[in-house]
Amino acid sequence: MKNSTKIKICGLFRDCDVDYANQAKPDYIGFVFAKRRRQVTREQAARYRKLLSPDIVAVGVFLNEPRDQVIGLLRDGIIDMAQLHGNETEEDVRVIQAATGKPVIKAVTVRERADVEAWLDSRADYLLFDSGTGTGKVFDWTLLQNVDRPFFLAGGLNPENIPEAIARIHPYAIDLSSGVETDGVKDCEKIFQAVQAVRNKYK
């Protein structure tokens, strides 16, 4: 299992979503605090966290939220990591890290290679490359060639194209949301298929 790619299932917002995750055992799950369809409140996230298996890392997804809100959720143990998906700066990343000692993921919308290179020296613990917040579309993976730091890959991923993504660009982690949904809600079978697609690469 050395150097095996990890998997994150993002956008859990129902009790059954947490149940699905507990059964499928992804490495990470995501609670969306940004004002999006899958948004959860602090209270909901705290309750879901108590239901979540302790060996699954809970990531909070934010979009231009005040630092204090992010820091508070990390300090209170509702989430283990912060994922910044908006126009947050390098200073925001460093302040959150310094205040909490917890990892920060900085999401980068990739339209051209310059978008990637602009963040390669970031102090963020991980970068997440996406086609845009919640687009559900694949971008040109060749733009990620020779990225020499661990990153999450998102955007248009599903159980069918995960093996190709891993084989071509070797991400630290695969990140899915709509790719494991049916009619806009998490689909238990698809979650299992996605987790198995990642794990099977290393059997």
Side-chain angles (χ1 to χ4, degrees):
M1 295 293 288
K2 185 178 180 182
N3 296 327
S4 58
T5 299
K6 300 182 184 300
I7 181 168
K8 173 169 167 273
I9 304 297
C10 200
L12 276 57
F13 66 100
R14 303 175 300 165
D15 286 30
C16 61
D17 296 341
V18 179
D19 290 339
Y20 300 160
N22 287 339
Q23 295 172 50
K25 296 291 187 186
D27 302 284
Y28 303 87
I29 60 89
F31 295 135
V32 177
F33 294 94
K35 294 176 176 61
R36 294 291 187 268
R37 180 175 59 78
R38 306 175 188 89
Q39 182 182 16
V40 297
T41 65
R42 178 190 177 92
E43 292 71 28
Q44 287 174 312
R47 184 167 65 84
Y48 294 153
R49 177 57 191 265
K50 290 178 181 177
L51 299 174
L52 185 69
S53 175
D55 56 352
I56 299 175
V57 177
V59 180
V61 180
F62 303 92
L63 185 65
N64 302 322
E65 296 296 328
R67 291 175 189 163
D68 288 347
Q69 179 184 348
V70 179
I71 290 169
L73 287 159
L74 286 164
R75 284 179 171 170
D76 291 344
I78 296 173
I79 56 174
D80 304 302
M81 301 173 67
Q83 179 175 318
L84 307 180
H85 247 287
N87 300 317
E88 299 89 357
T89 64
E90 186 71 2
E91 181 185 3
D92 292 322
V93 170
R94 296 184 186 196
V95 168
I96 293 168
Q97 289 171 324
T100 65
K102 299 292 181 67
V104 174
I105 304 167
K106 180 64 182 84
V108 179
T109 298
V110 179
R111 297 186 179 90
E112 58 187 10
R113 178 67 183 189
D115 298 324
V116 176
E117 293 180 353
W119 283 92
L120 288 181
D121 293 329
S122 172
R123 289 281 299 276
D125 297 271
Y126 302 97
L127 298 177
L128 181 148
F129 297 117
D130 197 355
S131 54
T133 307
T135 64
K137 296 180 180 178
V138 174
F139 63 92
D140 181 2
W141 293 339
T142 64
L143 297 173
L144 302 182
Q145 288 180 341
N146 302 316
V147 172
D148 189 25
R149 59 173 294 168
F151 63 90
F152 286 66
L153 177 68
L157 295 167
N158 56 58
E160 287 71 39
N161 63 12
I162 284 173
E164 179 188 0
I166 293 174
R168 285 181 58 186
I169 60 172
H170 313 291
Y172 168 78
I174 294 286
D175 191 331
L176 302 92
S177 186
S178 60
V180 288
E181 292 182 347
T182 298
D183 297 328
V185 295
K186 291 294 180 285
D187 183 313
C188 186
E189 183 176 351
K190 289 182 179 179
I191 291 173
F192 268 88
Q193 290 172 349
V195 172
Q196 285 305 115
V198 171
R199 305 287 189 240
N200 287 344
K201 289 290 294 180
Y202 302 97
K203 284 187 174 180

